Structure formats: structure tokens, C-alpha cells
Amino acid sequence: MGCKQFFSVLPLPFILMLLHLCFASSEVHATSGSIKGRVAARETKGPLIGVNVLLSGMRLGDATNEQGWFLIENVPVGNYTIQFSYIGYEPLIKTDIIVKSKRITFVDAELRMSAVEMGQVVVSGGYFVETEDKPTSVTNFSYEEIRRAPGSAGDVSRIIMGLPSIAKVNDQSNSLIVRGGSPIENAFFVDNIEIPNINHFPTQGTSGGPIGLVNVDFIRDVNFYTGGFSSIYGDKLSSIMEITFRDGNREEFDGQLDLNFAGFGGVAEGPLFSNKGSWLISIRRSFLDLLVKAVDTGTNVAPTFGDIQGKLAYELNPKHKLTLLGIWGDDHNDPDKETAEENDMIFFGNQDIVESTIGLNWRALWHNSGYSNTSLSYTSTKFKEDFFETGSADLIIKNRSFEQAFKFRNINYFRLNDRSSMEFGIEAKHLITDYDNFFAEYTGALGATVPTLTLDGKMTSNKFAGFFNYIAKPFNR
């Protein structure tokens, strides 16, 4: 059997896996990589010069330059802990820094100001929580923690399910019930851009779905607030998930092929505009339908889904940075009547959902006193669903919904002095919803008859918000 005939009988995921192994085996001889990143002040986001960056347990390190960058070269492949120390700032420790062969691992850090004290032993809790105010209801996850969490399959929401005060709706959905609230009252922000749902096959009107949409390879870290969160996050009552995407590689082109629970695909990244910026893109597709065709599983259909994600970052100058974010998901499920009967399904039909978000964020530094984040974004979700009762083949639900939102968001942070600072900003949303839905008459569990409902119309609404926080620290403790 020739090579062409051999690959023609293999499912596409296995071909991708073989190619991945082939490319990986060609680099076995390389045993070291590099660590590069930027260190900034947490309060003002400005670069810090001369920060000591050391690898724990090794005689390797560097000091940041005038733009806050550091570079540690010839680091053996492995898992490391990095220590950041600077006079006048609290020391910071970052764990689970994975160095790969012939690759540059990017690590960004933000240090918080503190009074210079001598002759004392300082115990820091920076291992686990890196948020500024550290309220009791916030949890921080790094990329590596998400990637290797047991049973999560790289899905951020499934890690969150195991936290205190969190309840899940069921095992088939990522819908979260936080502190007795509702899945409707959860908000997601990616790089200051609000996304209504971060799941494939999103449940309309809520924040849940069966499988995550966000590619874990894009994530730098995640902050999850379950209560007591700042007023800069409005319009939701239960929880806030703040996701930070990493920038692409500014030094060289990198690429990888993936085959995992979420599907198969790849990630590519590289420099942009003479290393002043970077680009990062991911393309994935599920392979369950391919396995169903290749292996007799007793059913002829399987849901299919895919997504494309990308981020462009460009620094106009050291104080101004633009980022363009895009996320697109495409979901399909269409079991027919014969399949429904064979698998004892109550309903059958078709389900086509397309969701997308695109947003531009501008970050500006105000000398050494603060910064501002301003974003413009557009999100949309289109539902096309038809469900029939298996026995009678009667139409039960027809859903033609198109939900859109145009959003403007501005956040400003200003440090008045060492003991006081403030946050303020505004937010505006223009919402457009277009429905053409039909819900057939049915009998409820208690025997009551619910009449037929038809919804056909277009609605628009506007939301405006303003917020202000004043943070005062009158004592050293």
C-alpha cells in the first residue's frame, strides 16, 4: 500500500497526530529554550527598570531594561519557578513556568508597591492569588494550572465547578450557579471586552453550554470573582470571570498542531510590524463525527463544532498599546427521526448556532500615575433551531433568533499618592434582538396545558453605566 492510499483510509485526526509526532521527533536533539517577558507596576502598568529576575534553584537570571523587558537564555527544558524582586515593591513568585525545546516562553509580571522595611521576615501569599486587593472571593488560575487540571480537558468553566460556593446545573453543561444565584448572572471579560458566553452550543439567555469555546493556549491567567467584586464590573450579580489573553511571539514564528478533547487544529503566532507587535491565531474543529463514521457506535450522527480565535497586539509607543481580539464559533447538530428512534430520543431536529465577538482595546499609560483601558466591541449570536417530537413528528420548537450588542467601555486608574487611589469610568451598550419563534402547545408535568406561543418582532434597548471607586490605605497594615 502506497503512502497516498495509506493516509486516505485514516481519519483526519490521526493524520494530524502523526504529523505532530513527526515534527516533534525532528527536534528531540534540542534540550534548551528561553524565557522572556516584561515587568510592570501593578498600580500604574508602567515598566520597571532593574528588576531582578531569577530562576529558583539555578544560577540563571537577568535584570529588566528601560522598557521592563528581561531575557533568560539557554534554560534547560523543564518546569521552573521565577522570582521577581525590586526595592520598594513586594517580591513576586511565579510557578509552573514550562520551558520547551527551541521555544521562547513569555512570562509577564506586575509588582505591587510596598514600604521598604528592613530586619523583618515577610511572608507573601503571591503563590496562588495575584490580584491587587485579594478579596476572599477571588481565585486566580494560571495557564498551566488550567491545562493540567484533572478532568477539565482545558475547559476553564469545568475547573471553576470545583470551587467553594459554586454549584453546577448538570454534568452536560458548564452553567454555573454562584452563591445561590442564576446562570444568567455570570459575566465574562477577555482583555476588557465582555463576551456573553464562552461555550459552544450556548444555552440561549444564560452563560452556559456543554463545552468551552476559549482555547487554553491563549490564556495567560484567569481571575474568578464570586462576590464582593469591584463596581467596574456591572450588570451582573453572581460572578465575574476575567480572562487575560497572552500576546503572540514578537521574536519568531511559532506553530503547533493539537489533538485533544476539544478537537483537532493548530495555533500559530509571530511578530508584526518590525517586532512592535504580534499576531496569534487558533483554528479548531471537533472530530467526534469523524470517529462515528470510522467506528460503528450505534448512531449515525454526532454534533460538530469549530472555532477561530485571534489576537493582534501593536504598541504605538511605550505608553500606548492597541489590541484587536476576535472569537468565532460555529456549532451544528442534526439528528434525524430514524436516529432518534434508534437511540430512544424524545426529540429530533436541527440546531445551527453561530456566535462571534470582535473588539478593539486601547491601553494608555499616564506617565507614572495611572492608566486607562478603552474598548469598542461587537458581539452577535444567531440561533436556527427546529425540534420535532419523535413519535408524532410534530413541530415543537422553531427558533430564529439574532442577538447583537454594540459595547463601549472605559476604565481609568489614578494613583493619588502611596496611600490612596481611585478608579472611574463609563460603559454603554446598544442591544438589538430579532426573534421569529414558535413554541407548540404542551402539557406540563402537573397536567396543566401550556398554550401555543408565537414571538415575532425586533427589539432594541440601551444601557448606560458610570462607576467610581476610592481606595484608601490609612495604615501600613
Side-chain angles (χ1 to χ4, degrees), residues 36-104:
K36 186 175 183 178
R38 175 182 284 180
V39 183
R42 182 178 296 276
E43 289 82 3
T44 63
K45 308 300 181 184
L48 296 178
I49 306 173
V51 177
N52 292 319
V53 185
L54 298 174
L55 290 184
S56 298
M58 302 190 66
R59 296 182 178 179
L60 291 175
D62 193 18
T64 57
N65 60 19
E66 63 276 4
Q67 296 181 351
W69 288 97
F70 69 90
L71 174 63
I72 306 176
E73 297 181 300
N74 300 321
V75 181
V77 172
N79 188 334
Y80 294 93
T81 297
I82 298 184
Q83 299 177 348
F84 300 87
S85 59
Y86 193 51
I87 295 178
Y89 288 79
E90 293 183 5
L92 175 66
I93 297 176
K94 280 187 171 286
T95 61
D96 294 323
I97 307 301
I98 308 299
V99 177
K100 300 178 182 179
S101 174
K102 282 186 155 183
R103 297 283 292 271
I104 301 175

Side-chain angles (χ1 to χ4, degrees), residues 211-226:
I211 188 169
L213 172 66
V214 177
N215 191 335
V216 67
D217 286 318
F218 274 48
I219 296 176
R220 190 178 76 186
D221 57 33
V222 175
N223 290 324
F224 185 64
Y225 302 86
T226 59

